[in-house]
Tab-separated table of all heavy atoms in Angstrom:
chain	number	residue	atom	x	y	z
A	402	ASN	N	86.400	118.543	129.964
A	402	ASN	CA	85.116	117.862	129.846
A	402	ASN	C	84.695	117.766	128.383
A	402	ASN	O	83.779	118.489	127.970
A	402	ASN	CB	84.027	118.622	130.673
A	402	ASN	CG	84.338	118.497	132.155
A	402	ASN	OD1	84.341	117.376	132.710
A	402	ASN	ND2	84.588	119.618	132.785
A	403	PRO	N	85.328	116.903	127.637
A	403	PRO	CA	84.948	116.788	126.244
A	403	PRO	C	83.559	116.195	126.130
A	403	PRO	O	83.076	115.530	127.015
A	403	PRO	CB	86.008	115.789	125.690
A	403	PRO	CG	86.439	115.017	126.874
A	403	PRO	CD	86.349	115.944	128.024
A	404	ALA	N	82.918	116.482	124.943
A	404	ALA	CA	81.556	115.937	124.770
A	404	ALA	C	81.689	114.424	124.619
A	404	ALA	O	82.542	113.919	123.873
A	404	ALA	CB	81.005	116.560	123.452
A	405	PHE	N	80.885	113.729	125.392
A	405	PHE	CA	80.830	112.264	125.329
A	405	PHE	C	79.753	111.806	124.356
A	405	PHE	O	78.683	112.371	124.325
A	405	PHE	CB	80.497	111.696	126.708
A	405	PHE	CG	81.677	111.112	127.417
A	405	PHE	CD1	82.432	111.891	128.283
A	405	PHE	CD2	81.999	109.795	127.249
A	405	PHE	CE1	83.541	111.327	128.958
A	405	PHE	CE2	83.086	109.235	127.901
A	405	PHE	CZ	83.857	110.003	128.774
A	406	ASP	N	80.064	110.792	123.536
A	406	ASP	CA	78.987	110.189	122.738
A	406	ASP	C	78.028	109.497	123.681
A	406	ASP	O	76.841	109.489	123.440
A	406	ASP	CB	79.600	109.198	121.743
A	406	ASP	CG	80.699	109.809	120.944
A	406	ASP	OD1	80.714	111.036	120.850
A	406	ASP	OD2	81.552	109.087	120.439
A	407	HIS	N	78.541	108.866	124.723
A	407	HIS	CA	77.693	108.300	125.729
A	407	HIS	C	78.488	108.429	127.026
A	407	HIS	O	79.703	108.204	127.065
A	407	HIS	CB	77.294	106.852	125.438
A	407	HIS	CG	78.410	106.043	124.855
A	407	HIS	ND1	78.779	106.163	123.519
A	407	HIS	CD2	79.257	105.151	125.375
A	407	HIS	CE1	79.767	105.362	123.283
A	407	HIS	NE2	80.089	104.755	124.391
A	408	ALA	N	77.825	108.774	128.111
A	408	ALA	CA	78.513	109.235	129.309
A	408	ALA	C	78.984	108.113	130.243
A	408	ALA	O	78.282	107.094	130.379
A	408	ALA	CB	77.602	110.142	130.085
A	409	LEU	N	80.131	108.317	130.805
A	409	LEU	CA	80.644	107.457	131.866
A	409	LEU	C	81.807	108.206	132.499
A	409	LEU	O	82.572	108.820	131.788
A	409	LEU	CB	81.102	106.135	131.322
A	409	LEU	CG	81.258	104.996	132.353
A	409	LEU	CD1	79.896	104.438	132.735
A	409	LEU	CD2	82.109	103.872	131.829
A	410	ASN	N	81.873	108.128	133.784
A	410	ASN	CA	82.969	108.834	134.446
A	410	ASN	C	84.107	107.860	134.781
A	410	ASN	O	83.859	106.693	135.159
A	410	ASN	CB	82.463	109.502	135.731
A	410	ASN	CG	83.472	110.516	136.234
A	410	ASN	OD1	84.255	111.016	135.424
A	410	ASN	ND2	83.431	110.828	137.492
A	411	PHE	N	85.312	108.304	134.631
A	411	PHE	CA	86.476	107.484	134.941
A	411	PHE	C	87.404	108.221	135.919
A	411	PHE	O	87.415	109.467	135.919
A	411	PHE	CB	87.252	107.084	133.689
A	411	PHE	CG	86.574	106.096	132.838
A	411	PHE	CD1	86.229	106.440	131.520
A	411	PHE	CD2	86.183	104.887	133.284
A	411	PHE	CE1	85.562	105.524	130.723
A	411	PHE	CE2	85.535	103.964	132.500
A	411	PHE	CZ	85.230	104.278	131.211
A	412	ALA	N	88.214	107.432	136.608
A	412	ALA	CA	89.264	108.023	137.443
A	412	ALA	C	90.559	108.100	136.648
A	412	ALA	O	90.708	107.443	135.605
A	412	ALA	CB	89.459	107.160	138.683
A	413	ASP	N	91.510	108.895	137.129
A	413	ASP	CA	92.790	109.084	136.418
A	413	ASP	C	93.587	107.772	136.490
A	413	ASP	O	93.624	107.078	137.481
A	413	ASP	CB	93.586	110.234	137.020
A	413	ASP	CG	92.920	111.589	136.699
A	413	ASP	OD1	92.076	111.601	135.764
A	413	ASP	OD2	93.208	112.562	137.374
A	414	ASP	N	94.259	107.559	135.386
A	414	ASP	CA	95.013	106.364	135.138
A	414	ASP	C	96.293	106.311	135.951
A	414	ASP	O	96.847	107.341	136.337
A	414	ASP	CB	95.361	106.384	133.652
A	414	ASP	CG	96.284	105.329	133.258
A	414	ASP	OD1	95.855	104.203	133.138
A	414	ASP	OD2	97.461	105.656	133.064
A	415	GLU	N	96.805	105.105	136.152
A	415	GLU	CA	98.134	104.988	136.727
A	415	GLU	C	98.850	103.845	135.974
A	415	GLU	O	98.682	102.661	136.301
A	415	GLU	CB	98.037	104.630	138.228
A	415	GLU	CG	99.380	104.696	138.937
A	415	GLU	CD	99.215	104.410	140.408
A	415	GLU	OE1	98.720	105.278	141.108
A	415	GLU	OE2	99.511	103.276	140.848
A	416	SER	N	99.575	104.163	134.945
A	416	SER	CA	100.325	103.128	134.278
A	416	SER	C	101.719	103.664	133.972
A	416	SER	O	101.907	104.848	133.778
A	416	SER	CB	99.615	102.636	133.014
A	416	SER	OG	99.632	103.641	132.045
A	417	ILE	N	102.667	102.770	133.905
A	417	ILE	CA	104.072	103.165	133.766
A	417	ILE	C	104.529	102.696	132.395
A	417	ILE	O	104.277	101.574	132.054
A	417	ILE	CB	104.898	102.452	134.855
A	417	ILE	CG1	104.316	102.704	136.229
A	417	ILE	CG2	106.365	102.932	134.819
A	417	ILE	CD1	104.784	101.712	137.283
A	418	GLU	N	105.224	103.556	131.699
A	418	GLU	CA	105.734	103.135	130.367
A	418	GLU	C	107.204	103.478	130.246
A	418	GLU	O	107.607	104.586	130.620
A	418	GLU	CB	104.965	103.819	129.242
A	418	GLU	CG	103.512	103.362	129.135
A	418	GLU	CD	102.754	104.243	128.229
A	418	GLU	OE1	103.244	104.537	127.129
A	418	GLU	OE2	101.692	104.703	128.617
A	419	PHE	N	107.966	102.580	129.707
A	419	PHE	CA	109.362	102.853	129.483
A	419	PHE	C	109.622	102.757	127.973
A	419	PHE	O	108.944	101.989	127.276
A	419	PHE	CB	110.213	101.818	130.231
A	419	PHE	CG	110.278	102.068	131.696
A	419	PHE	CD1	109.320	101.479	132.506
A	419	PHE	CD2	111.230	102.859	132.241
A	419	PHE	CE1	109.354	101.730	133.893
A	419	PHE	CE2	111.271	103.105	133.588
A	419	PHE	CZ	110.336	102.527	134.427
A	420	PRO	N	110.617	103.553	127.519
A	420	PRO	CA	110.764	103.639	126.082
A	420	PRO	C	111.554	102.452	125.484
A	420	PRO	O	112.652	102.203	125.891
A	420	PRO	CB	111.531	104.916	125.844
A	420	PRO	CG	112.247	105.156	127.163
A	420	PRO	CD	111.480	104.464	128.215
A	421	SER	N	110.955	101.774	124.563
A	421	SER	CA	111.672	100.834	123.695
A	421	SER	C	111.153	101.082	122.315
A	421	SER	O	111.073	102.207	121.880
A	421	SER	CB	111.454	99.419	124.197
A	421	SER	OG	112.045	98.540	123.312
A	422	THR	N	110.697	100.044	121.606
A	422	THR	CA	109.911	100.255	120.394
A	422	THR	C	110.731	100.736	119.184
A	422	THR	O	111.918	101.041	119.311
A	422	THR	CB	108.785	101.288	120.736
A	422	THR	OG1	108.105	100.848	121.903
A	422	THR	CG2	107.774	101.450	119.654
A	423	SER	N	110.128	100.756	118.007
A	423	SER	CA	110.822	101.078	116.741
A	423	SER	C	109.796	101.680	115.778
A	423	SER	O	108.618	101.332	115.836
A	423	SER	CB	111.357	99.777	116.156
A	423	SER	OG	112.517	100.028	115.379
A	424	HIS	N	110.284	102.554	114.891
A	424	HIS	CA	109.345	103.101	113.915
A	424	HIS	C	109.853	102.919	112.478
A	424	HIS	O	111.052	103.063	112.190
A	424	HIS	CB	109.091	104.569	114.173
A	424	HIS	CG	108.081	105.133	113.207
A	424	HIS	ND1	106.760	104.951	113.333
A	424	HIS	CD2	108.226	105.760	112.020
A	424	HIS	CE1	106.087	105.459	112.318
A	424	HIS	NE2	106.986	105.976	111.490
Side-chain angles (χ1 to χ4, degrees):
N402 291 299
F405 256 92
D406 307 337
H407 39 283
L409 197 77
N410 195 23
F411 289 120
D413 289 342
D414 171 77
E415 188 177 285
S416 68
I417 308 162
E418 292 169 48
F419 286 89
S421 174
T422 310
S423 207
H424 183 79

